[in-house]
Amino acid sequence: MLSDAHIAQLAAELHASERSRQQVEHFSKRFPGMSIEDGYRVSRAWVALQLAEGRSVIGHKIGLTSRAMQLSSQISEPDYGTLLDSMLYQATPGQVLELPAERFIAPRVEVELAFVLKRDLRGPQVDVEQVLDATDYLTPAIEIIDARIEQFDRHSRAMRKVQDTISDNAANAAIVVGAGRSGARAIDRPWVGAILRQNGVVEETGLAAGVQGDPAVGIAWLANKLAPWGEHLKAGHIVLAGSFTRPVAARAGDVFDADYGPLGRLQFKFV
């Protein structure tokens, strides 16, 4: 287990990286004994730095929800991070939202469903039915993932480890939320689909069934996972259930159109 001093040091490095847009080297390389729990401690310490500067928590994200991603990361469960008010963008129907490209390092776009809660969910024994009862509505969402820690080591080209990604707030940088809404039980969640176009070209299509069969499963998992830390999912918070497409790299000037059918569309541009 890393010392409190090392945790604070690594959190400060992430904070500086976000501001400078200069990635840092793998934490797991410098600290080979670093555990997944250490990664969450770093993430929480970094969030605490941002809260001290006036930001507020608006929810959570779940990542690595597909079996393929878990196998590639050599883990057996998803990971999670914290959403802050500074990350939130609201899309307006019929308009192309502008996202400032300069705030990101290497942004990638993922298609998701967001659960907006109307009551608290407190583990450790939350199930899917409780998630559905506690959900105010589902809405289309795009997660912009980014990396303050470099993906490949600059010297060896080795891939970063899951401890690094978790430290980096599960690679979260921003979310775009749509205007479309549906009750959690009013829609066949696994069959919610989306088409993601980049500059007019279809780059990805997917079904929400790719998120553990039903995206509500992940929400229950997260509520239970937070319990040992003395934390819970709160009423009014947004929870991103996990991507059901591969991440698509974005650059300044790129225009994205995410079409969720009956749930509406999200259109945005990196400027």
Side-chain angles (χ1 to χ4, degrees), residues 137-178:
Y137 59 88
L138 304 183
T139 190
I142 291 291
E143 181 181 7
I144 311 298
I145 61 174
D146 205 359
R148 276 67 55 169
I149 300 175
E150 57 195 13
Q151 184 174 10
F152 297 99
D153 179 74
R154 65 191 68 175
H155 305 293
S156 68
R157 304 308 297 165
M159 180 73 170
R160 67 183 170 223
K161 295 183 178 180
V162 69
Q163 293 93 322
D164 301 303
T165 305
I166 289 171
S167 298
D168 197 12
N169 197 30
N172 178 260
I175 62 170
V176 180
V177 176

Side-chain angles (χ1 to χ4, degrees), residues 11-22 24 46 148:
E13 289 184 25
L14 289 171
H15 207 42
S17 173
E18 184 179 49
R19 293 178 172 180
S20 69
R21 298 180 66 218
Q22 298 296 315
V24 298
W46 183 27
R148 276 67 55 169

Side-chain angles (χ1 to χ4, degrees), residues 90-99 254-257 266-271:
Q90 182 72 53
T92 302
Q95 296 184 356
V96 179
L97 175 69
E98 293 188 346
L99 300 179
D254 283 349
V255 178
F256 286 88
D257 180 343
L266 304 180
Q267 296 173 293
F268 54 98
K269 179 180 182 178
F270 287 85
V271 297

Side-chain angles (χ1 to χ4, degrees), residues 213-235:
D214 179 348
V217 170
I219 311 301
W221 171 85
L222 179 56
N224 295 328
K225 201 68 179 177
L226 290 174
W229 296 86
E231 301 170 2
H232 65 280
L233 301 178
K234 297 182 179 181

Side-chain angles (χ1 to χ4, degrees), residues 109 111 194-205 246 248-249 254-259 265:
V109 172
V111 172
I195 302 168
L196 180 66
R197 293 179 175 87
Q198 182 181 26
N199 302 322
V201 177
V202 174
E203 286 290 342
E204 278 296 310
T205 62
R246 70 172 176 87
V248 177
D254 283 349
V255 178
F256 286 88
D257 180 343
D259 187 347
R265 300 168 72 176

